[in-house]
Amino acid sequence: MKLYSNEIVFRGHPDKVCDQISDALLDEYLKGDKNSRCGIEVCGGKGKIFITGEVTSKSKVNINNIVERVLFDVGYSTNYEIINNIGVQSKDIALGTNNKVMGAGDQGMMFGYAVNDTDKYLPVAMVILQELSMKYDELRYKDSRFKSDGKAQITGLYDDDMELKSIEIFTISYQNTEKNRKETDNIIKKIINDICKKYNIKVKKFLINPTGRFEIGGFEGDAGLTGRKILVDNYQSFSRVGGGAFSGKDPTKVDRSAAYKARLIAVDYLKKYNLKWCEVQISYAIGISKPLSISINSNKGNIIPNNKLYKDCEVKQMINDLNLLNKCYYDTSKYGHFIN
């Protein structure tokens, strides 16, 4: 038996707000021009939202309106100075991505993961935190004592097969008005216990706002940056990650599209070979469409990919097969990119 922890951050966490702004802007550019090339980065803090990165697009996007819409949706004031520092995509990169073959927008390695713990093919502890994040978002709309910022962490007791036996410590830090704290803490505990009960998991101990209070949050209490929560966006440390962030990147950026494809491959192989878990790695070189390598590992050992899989993982093929030019990326940045 061993202890192992995983974490999620809520929609109102400054880093995730920046992710959501990046992806909301991406959606708008793709809506007007499917050939948009975007790598949008956002930094926020202390009354300022700084938008930078690269965009080449025929779309005319009112950046301020999109930023304010996201801030309002998350539950923040829209009274921020918005600084637009966006440039255009490098012509050197465009040589490899805008041609007929459509090469990868960057080099790197991407991972996909699946496990048979749940019907979502994700670890139980990860699903519990995702459901909590969604429930908390609903709660803050209904009860003004709950504010947007927050995060949660599970320290679970696992057997040698990485099966979750119990939650030894459930840590949650949630921003609130600090009014009727005992009552609001009990509301949080009930939500968590109700979720865990569905998976026959008991929580032995809660740590709620361990410093004692959490009234100052969001961009007032912290700064945020796009792509700083890549473990949360992927598999919360149950699998390796390639290191590339998702949000703000159009599908030619394989950091995103190949990670989505690798996840689908992992799920498909999990079912096909009746596996307990499956981890897929795909790697690319910038400007080259075909993967350099595909590695598939599982509890039953390595699986050799066939030539068709290499064809399926070419950039243009992935974009078409996964309909990535018509996806709502803003939704993916709210609770996790792999929620089912």
Side-chain angles (χ1 to χ4, degrees), residues 261-275:
K261 181 65 176 179
R263 160 68 176 166
L264 292 180
I265 294 169
V267 172
D268 288 345
Y269 275 65
L270 189 86
K271 297 175 183 177
K272 182 177 179 180
Y273 294 102
N274 193 29
L275 303 172

Side-chain angles (χ1 to χ4, degrees), residues 305-339:
N306 56 33
N307 289 331
K308 182 180 182 301
L309 195 59
Y310 275 85
K311 179 68 176 176
D312 291 344
C313 291
E314 290 182 6
V315 178
K316 184 179 285 188
Q317 191 74 36
M318 290 190 301
I319 290 173
N320 291 335
D321 289 350
L322 277 61
N323 196 26
L324 293 180
L325 294 177
N326 298 296
K327 192 177 180 74
C328 179
Y329 290 104
Y330 179 48
D331 285 345
T332 68
S333 58
K334 294 177 181 177
Y335 313 111
H337 292 254
F338 308 110
I339 60 175

Side-chain angles (χ1 to χ4, degrees), residues 191-334:
I191 290 172
I192 291 170
N193 283 325
D194 287 347
I195 294 170
C196 292
K197 195 177 297 182
K198 294 193 302 182
Y199 299 97
N200 296 314
I201 299 294
K202 290 186 177 180
V203 181
K204 293 185 178 179
K205 180 181 178 181
F206 286 96
L207 280 179
I208 301 182
N209 287 357
T211 67
R213 61 187 290 123
F214 185 1
E215 187 173 3
I216 300 170
F219 289 129
E220 184 182 357
D222 198 359
L225 188 65
T226 298
R228 198 157 55 184
K229 291 293 178 283
I230 57 173
L231 282 176
V232 168
D233 283 348
N234 281 267
Y235 305 99
Q236 298 180 12
S237 83
F238 287 102
S239 169
R240 290 176 288 185
V241 297
F246 299 155
S247 292
K249 296 178 179 177
D250 74 86
T252 64
K253 307 289 194 297
V254 286
D255 299 292
R256 176 168 230 157
S257 51
Y260 290 174
K261 181 65 176 179
R263 160 68 176 166
L264 292 180
I265 294 169
V267 172
D268 288 345
Y269 275 65
L270 189 86
K271 297 175 183 177
K272 182 177 179 180
Y273 294 102
N274 193 29
L275 303 172
K276 176 173 175 54
W277 61 267
C278 182
E279 185 183 70
V280 177
Q281 187 209 56
I282 312 176
S283 71
Y284 293 84
I286 190 168
I288 307 298
S289 182
K290 187 177 180 180
L292 301 181
S293 67
I294 301 175
S295 174
I296 305 172
N297 195 19
S298 75
N299 60 295
K300 294 183 179 179
N302 293 325
I303 300 171
I304 306 300
N306 56 33
N307 289 331
K308 182 180 182 301
L309 195 59
Y310 275 85
K311 179 68 176 176
D312 291 344
C313 291
E314 290 182 6
V315 178
K316 184 179 285 188
Q317 191 74 36
M318 290 190 301
I319 290 173
N320 291 335
D321 289 350
L322 277 61
N323 196 26
L324 293 180
L325 294 177
N326 298 296
K327 192 177 180 74
C328 179
Y329 290 104
Y330 179 48
D331 285 345
T332 68
S333 58
K334 294 177 181 177

Side-chain angles (χ1 to χ4, degrees), residues 37-57:
R37 297 290 184 261
C38 301
I40 304 168
E41 311 287 349
V42 177
C43 177
K46 312 304 178 284
K48 299 181 188 294
I49 304 289
F50 186 80
I51 318 290
T52 190
E54 302 79 42
V55 173
T56 300
S57 177

